[in-house]
Structures are given as C-alpha cells and as structure tokens.
Amino acid sequence: MIDWFEGPLPPGVRAGFTTVHGGSSTGEYASLNLGIHVGDNPVHVHANRLALGHYIGQEITWMDQVHGSRIVDALDARLRFGWLEVGEADAIALGKGQVGAVMVADCVPLILVEESGQRGAVVHVGRAGLDLGVGPSAVADLEGEVIAILGPSICGRCYEVSEELAEEVGGRWPESLATTSSGTPSLDIPAGLEAQLRACGVRQIYRSDVCTYESADHFSHRRATHAGTQTGRFAGVLQILRHARDAHGNPGFL
C-alpha cells in the first residue's frame, strides 16, 4: 500500500509514497486510487482513503490541487465528504499530531520536514508549480535545516514537451531542460525542483529514481493519455506524531 522512506528522519516523523496496490478501485483505476476527481467510483475512492488512514493509524488531511502556489495550514482543514480537507491548495503545512497527503500521477510529490521534527509540508510540484516556485515557498515557511524528499514522478526521458515550452521553462529553470530517450525536447521537473531547493538553502535532498511513466506500481497520467485511458492518483504522505517516542524511548507510531 505504501513504501516508507528509509532515509534519515527526525524521531516521530515518517514519510512515504503509496502505490497502485491495496485498494478497492477496479478497471483503469485499480486499485488504490486516491483521486476523487478523475472519474472513479466515489464509493471506491472513499474506501481507499479510509483504508490508507487506517493503515497509517491517523486521519489524513487532503487538498484540492489546482497547479498553483497556495499553501494552507492543516489546522484550517474541515470535514467534507467524509475526510479532512483544506480546499484549493498545492501545499499543506503540518505540525505535531498531523498527517497530510499530496496526490500525483506524474508530478513531483514533495515532502518537506524540519530537521527538528516540529513541522513539515506536503507539496504538489508539476510544471506550473515549478514555475511558480511552490517548493521554495513551502521551504520559506519552515525553520532551521529542512529535509526534502522528492517522490516518484515522470522523468526527463519520458516527459516530452514542445520545443517552445522547453525553451520557455528551461530559460527560467535551466536545470529542467532535458531530452527524451528518442531525442526530442523534454523537461526534467525533479531536476529543476532540486536546483530550486538547493538555491534556497536545502542541503538534505533525497530524490526517488522511480519514473511513474515507466513504473507499473504507480499511476501515470501521461502513460494513460498515450494509451487512451483514464488513471488514478497515488499520494505522498507525511506524518508528524505529537509524541515522538513510546514508553520505552523508541520512536513510535499510532
């Protein structure tokens, strides 16, 4: 259901990325589709979100992502349609005792956490988010050293774009310029995002080498588009426990 990040994190903090496995959805959305907006049966999506929350051991805060740069605090979440939601946003700021999710199907699911373990954020970074600098904006809301985790997303070998778009975006973010495996212009959003994060002082950056277009374990909007089908959304999840250690002094989770 979820692949947990195995790198260094503060006590009481865990981060991970769901896969397509372990849910109730069928057909093109099989099986752990977490996106309510992609045409899947809402009953199945609801069941999937509840199952993920049960698996994590805590209610998850969700957002309606719009390829913008708005950051909303999880404290502003309200119960809607059976789950906690902050409304239209592309980043959720999290504190102690909270868990948030960012949904993707090729975009970068960015997880940020303070080295102190006090606060963090889940951030949706696609081409528009890269251009708007939503990643650095989320970093600016945090304090001290920040750990950044870039989850599975489409790679530069597969994210073909027009020459005009490559020149436009690449002119602003040169590190994002790339070439597909067939030699056509493309964008490498993770590379551009990593450069942005380093420029704003983030030194601990962990970047997944999984390409969603190539992975059978993740949903990919572009792969589905090329196949003439629909697809679901997987999620990056950040959980910050209120109490970092259990009675034995070990990191513990609900």
Side-chain angles (χ1 to χ4, degrees):
M1 177 174 282
I2 187 166
D3 291 330
W4 293 111
F5 174 67
E6 296 182 352
L9 285 173
V13 175
R14 62 178 176 176
F17 304 92
T18 65
T19 66
V20 299
H21 309 294
S24 302
S25 295
T26 60
E28 298 168 340
Y29 305 100
S31 67
L32 190 66
N33 168 41
L34 300 167
I36 196 69
H37 62 295
V38 295
D40 192 7
N41 186 329
V43 174
H44 292 164
V45 180
H46 192 205
N48 291 340
R49 289 188 175 190
L50 288 178
L52 180 61
H54 180 74
Y55 181 81
I56 292 171
Q58 189 175 351
E59 193 165 18
I60 302 168
T61 299
W62 303 86
M63 55 182 161
D64 292 332
Q65 298 160 195
V66 293
H67 294 278
S69 59
R70 184 169 182 249
I71 303 169
V72 179
D73 198 292
L75 290 173
D76 296 327
R78 297 293 181 267
L79 193 63
R80 185 182 179 208
F81 305 127
W83 50 74
L84 287 174
E85 187 177 292
V86 297
E88 290 189 353
D90 283 273
I92 304 174
L94 301 164
K96 287 285 189 177
Q98 297 174 332
V99 54
V102 49
M103 293 181 297
V104 291
D106 282 336
C107 294
V108 182
L110 171 63
I111 295 176
L112 302 170
V113 60
E114 294 176 349
E115 197 173 47
S116 66
Q118 295 297 306
R119 299 172 63 234
V122 289
V123 191
H124 172 232
V125 187
R127 177 177 55 81
L130 179 75
D131 245 352
L132 293 169
V134 65
S137 293
V139 170
D141 282 350
L142 302 176
E143 297 181 354
E145 294 291 329
V146 173
I147 300 167
I149 307 165
L150 284 65
S153 62
I154 194 168
C155 72
R157 298 185 307 273
C158 298
Y159 187 31
E160 182 180 24
V161 297
S162 67
E163 185 173 347
E164 293 75 18
L165 186 58
E167 291 177 354
E168 178 186 349
V169 177
R172 290 186 287 271
W173 314 109
E175 294 84 357
S176 70
L177 272 176
T179 304
T180 66
S181 54
S182 58
T184 56
S186 72
L187 291 172
D188 189 331
I189 302 301
L193 175 58
E194 181 176 346
Q196 286 184 338
L197 295 174
R198 294 198 183 281
C200 65
V202 179
R203 294 182 295 178
Q204 299 183 66
I205 301 176
Y206 301 91
R207 181 172 154 191
S208 172
D209 60 0
V210 174
C211 170
T212 49
Y213 188 93
E214 299 170 333
S215 170
D217 293 322
H218 299 86
F219 295 113
S220 169
H221 179 266
R222 178 154 291 209
R223 185 176 67 229
T225 299
H226 287 171
T229 62
Q230 300 294 319
T231 195
R233 298 293 185 270
F234 71 96
V237 177
L238 173 64
Q239 181 179 33
I240 306 176
L241 289 184
R242 190 173 302 279
H243 304 291
R245 295 184 177 272
D246 63 19
H248 304 287
N250 301 310
F253 294 97
L254 300 175

